[in-house]
Amino acid sequence: MTSPSAVDQRTSFRGLWLLGAGLLAVRFLHLTGPLDDPHSWRQCDTVGYSLDFYRRGVDLLHPAVCWLGAHRTLIFELALPEAISAMLYRVFGPSAVWDRVVALGFFVIASLYFHALVRRVAGRRSAALATVAWLALPLGQFFSRAAHVDFAATAFAHALLYHAWVALERRSPAHAALAGAAGALAAMIKAPYLLPILPPLALVALAAPLAAMVWMGAPLALSAVAFAIWRRHVDAVNAAAPDWDFLPGYYKEVNPLWWYFGGASERFDTASWIKLARRLLFEVATPLGALLAIAGLAPRATRSHAGGGRVGAEAGPGARAFALAWSLGVLGYLLVFFPLNVIHDYYQIPFLAPAALWIGLGMDALWERAPQVGPVRAAALALAAFALLAVWAPRRLGYYRVDWLRVEAGRMIDARLPRGELLIVADHNSGYSDPRLLRRADREGWALAIADLTPDRLRTLAGLGARWAAVVTSPEHPGLAPPPSLAWARIAELPIVHAGHPIGTLGLYDLDRPGPRPPGGSTP
């Protein structure tokens, strides 16, 4: 006969998995619509890779951006997610929906590996609770369905940690091979995301005989070799990019070392630490999650429920030791790649796993010790409150913002200018590597801020093949207007309208238009 405690245990797990399914389903509410902020800039580049693979064939060694004029080829990371998206484009038609679906698919893979890892160190219930937390955390909610590659790198990093651990325990060539493949892909997609898992791997290795280190060392060595070979190719390809020093802020080297590591003085900037602390509190852990994580510091014991099914962890490092090692890993990652973490909030994605693990351990401690509130466990109420607040948080944090000015302007440009010719676009703050307006117009060319549209730059870009120019202005930036040196080439000045309301003005210019030119040459 099944005991009441076993029935209660099954009911609790059923409720947790239903809650987890609901948190995953929230992502499906945001799979359609224009690319949104924060960081629509990076998403436009991601979709650009996918579109190029769709139109010109998948070439992982030579992906293309839209903001390098006719040169096009530039590599940021291995564009495996974009290649998968391009395959979906060919079946269902080109749409950023499929980039989001691919990102969400990698998030699910990362979630499954995270659950498996936590179950090994903390047991079934902690794993379920930690996975619910992982699914709820606000930063993960947004970027798990954004056109980003970060959860692909996260999924492969989690896979490396899991398979290397199993390979070490079982002396398994198959798991060692899977770990090596996962590590190599993570290294080529986003190598910094491997750093946080090294301390947990080291902790696992401490319990193994020295002779067994080959089962963990081989995958790590393969990852390092893959990264070295990939970086050599990336540097060779990107070295062929043109020297366009006339563009403001342009530097030919892509992601140089100073971009990754910065200077020592940056790590003593109080404002940067306050900025990071706010992100970690509100976007990663949430305030209630941070309180629950503190409860995870309490001692815990391996338990078995009445039905005989094991709730505790498998043999290996303790749950709190593992969580601490992972936390030290992300702290080291933060200190090494400090500038990236300050500039981009999505570089805090590696913090999600240890944060969710600590929250899961805290919830598990409360599950045992908190009193009943009528027929309901107090811990269940705390978990429900945490999940509801976490789901609400993205709106409060300003996620899912759509840059309608560029979206509508891009649609107008696409409808009014011929394809296949290079375009100069300008708005209030575009930089030379800004894909946002070019991608939404589905064009290639160059991007500049309006203030940087000097006659000399326009003349140089026209000589490089620019046929058209498009300038976007808005009432929010009243001091900016198209330069007088472009007036001769204007062919249209159109209101930009969204939801029936004017939000800006689009000026279109034909740089080959016959007629009087300003002094200094045949082009602007």
Side-chain angles (χ1 to χ4, degrees):
M1 181 176 177
T2 304
S3 68
S5 61
V7 173
D8 178 65
Q9 191 76 38
R10 286 200 299 269
T11 302
S12 297
F13 281 118
R14 189 179 299 117
L16 289 174
W17 292 124
L18 286 174
L19 178 57
L23 290 168
L24 183 62
V26 167
R27 275 85 171 165
F28 289 88
L29 302 176
H30 303 284
L31 287 182
T32 59
L35 296 174
D36 45 17
D37 284 303
H39 298 295
S40 62
W41 182 310
R42 186 64 187 88
Q43 295 183 66
C44 285
D45 269 332
T46 299
V47 172
Y49 276 7
S50 302
L51 279 169
D52 184 71
F53 287 159
Y54 166 69
R55 290 167 175 165
R56 295 181 172 93
V58 174
D59 184 352
L60 290 172
L61 300 180
H62 301 90
V65 295
C66 62
W67 41 267
L68 272 179
H71 178 75
R72 302 177 59 253
T73 303
L74 199 73
I75 306 177
F76 296 112
E77 58 262 324
L78 179 69
L80 177 62
E82 294 92 325
I84 297 171
S85 298
M87 297 300 100
L88 293 175
Y89 283 14
R90 293 181 179 179
V91 177
F92 302 105
S95 170
V97 168
W98 305 116
D99 295 89
R100 288 169 167 165
V101 167
V102 170
L104 186 55
F106 278 113
F107 173 76
V108 170
I109 294 171
S111 305
L112 294 172
Y113 275 114
F114 174 74
H115 178 267
L117 287 163
V118 179
R119 183 160 181 172
R120 290 179 70 83
V121 296
R124 182 183 174 196
R125 186 170 63 207
S126 287
L129 291 164
T131 303
V132 167
W134 160 269
L135 292 168
L137 298 178
L139 191 74
Q141 283 187 56
F142 179 82
F143 284 107
S144 63
R145 39 63 59 198
H148 259 256
V149 302
D150 291 68
F151 273 108
T154 302
F156 290 125
H158 288 186
L160 168 60
L161 178 54
Y162 176 81
H163 289 294
W165 186 353
V166 177
L168 186 68
E169 285 186 345
R170 302 179 186 174
R171 313 297 193 267
S172 168
H175 280 282
L178 288 171
L185 290 170
M188 291 186 287
I189 294 174
K190 190 156 272 189
Y193 282 19
L194 286 177
L195 182 56
I197 69 164
L198 296 183
L201 274 175
L203 182 65
V204 171
L206 287 176
L210 187 62
M213 289 298 101
V214 66
W215 299 102
M216 186 174 289
L220 293 176
L222 179 59
S223 303
V225 170
F227 175 74
I229 294 173
W230 175 248
R231 286 308 311 177
R232 184 174 181 179
H233 170 72
V234 167
D235 292 341
V237 169
N238 291 345
D243 289 310
W244 286 341
D245 293 336
F246 66 93
L247 295 176
Y250 183 85
Y251 56 91
K252 181 176 178 179
E253 188 177 4
V254 179
N255 294 341
L257 291 181
W258 61 262
W259 173 252
Y260 282 105
F261 306 123
S265 61
E266 296 179 49
R267 289 151 179 84
F268 296 96
D269 180 47
T270 303
S272 293
W273 282 106
I274 293 173
K275 182 178 183 179
L276 288 167
R278 288 181 60 85
R279 283 189 194 157
L280 293 175
L281 179 60
F282 293 104
E283 299 185 47
V284 174
T286 76
L288 181 54
L291 292 175
L292 293 171
I294 292 172
L297 297 172
R300 64 191 304 275
T302 300
R303 296 172 299 277
S304 297
H305 60 72
R310 193 171 187 187
V311 180
E314 298 184 21
R320 288 187 299 159
F322 193 81
L324 180 60
W326 211 335
S327 300
L328 290 175
V330 292
L331 176 60
Y333 155 81
L334 170 64
L335 292 174
V336 171
F337 301 105
F338 191 77
L340 297 178
N341 275 275
V342 173
I343 296 169
H344 300 305
D345 59 356
Y346 57 83
Y347 270 89
Q348 277 86 75
I349 284 174
F351 285 83
L352 294 172
L357 175 51
W358 281 116
I359 293 170
L361 295 179
M363 284 300 309
D364 192 59
L366 289 176
W367 211 271
E368 287 293 312
R369 300 169 185 177
Q372 294 276 122
V373 181
V376 182
R377 288 182 179 269
L381 293 176
L383 179 62
F386 163 73
L388 287 173
L389 291 172
V391 168
W392 172 75
R395 291 291 184 185
R396 183 182 61 81
L397 293 166
Y399 292 168
Y400 309 116
R401 304 186 312 271
V402 176
D403 181 1
W404 286 112
L405 182 67
R406 289 187 176 94
V407 169
E408 299 293 3
R411 290 170 178 169
M412 293 171 66
I413 293 169
D414 189 31
R416 288 166 174 81
L417 295 183
R419 296 195 176 194
E421 296 178 308
L422 297 176
L423 171 70
I424 302 168
V425 296
D427 54 39
H428 60 282
N429 72 345
S430 284
Y432 75 92
S433 62
D434 193 336
R436 291 175 292 177
L437 190 50
L438 283 166
R439 176 47 51 219
R440 285 161 172 142
D442 199 11
R443 296 296 189 277
E444 295 171 350
W446 297 267
L448 289 167
I450 292 173
D452 295 325
L453 282 176
T454 63
D456 285 343
R457 290 192 182 107
L458 287 166
R459 186 178 301 114
T460 302
L461 290 173
L464 291 169
R467 168 65 196 277
W468 308 92
V471 180
V472 175
T473 57
S474 76
E476 294 183 4
H477 305 278
L480 295 175
S485 59
L486 260 180
W488 68 274
R490 185 170 59 233
I491 57 174
E493 188 171 277
L494 307 164
I496 303 172
V497 178
H498 174 67
H501 301 286
I503 58 174
T505 302
L506 172 66
L508 299 177
Y509 303 85
D510 181 356
L511 302 182
D512 277 354
R513 185 182 184 190
R517 303 295 204 269
S522 60
T523 56

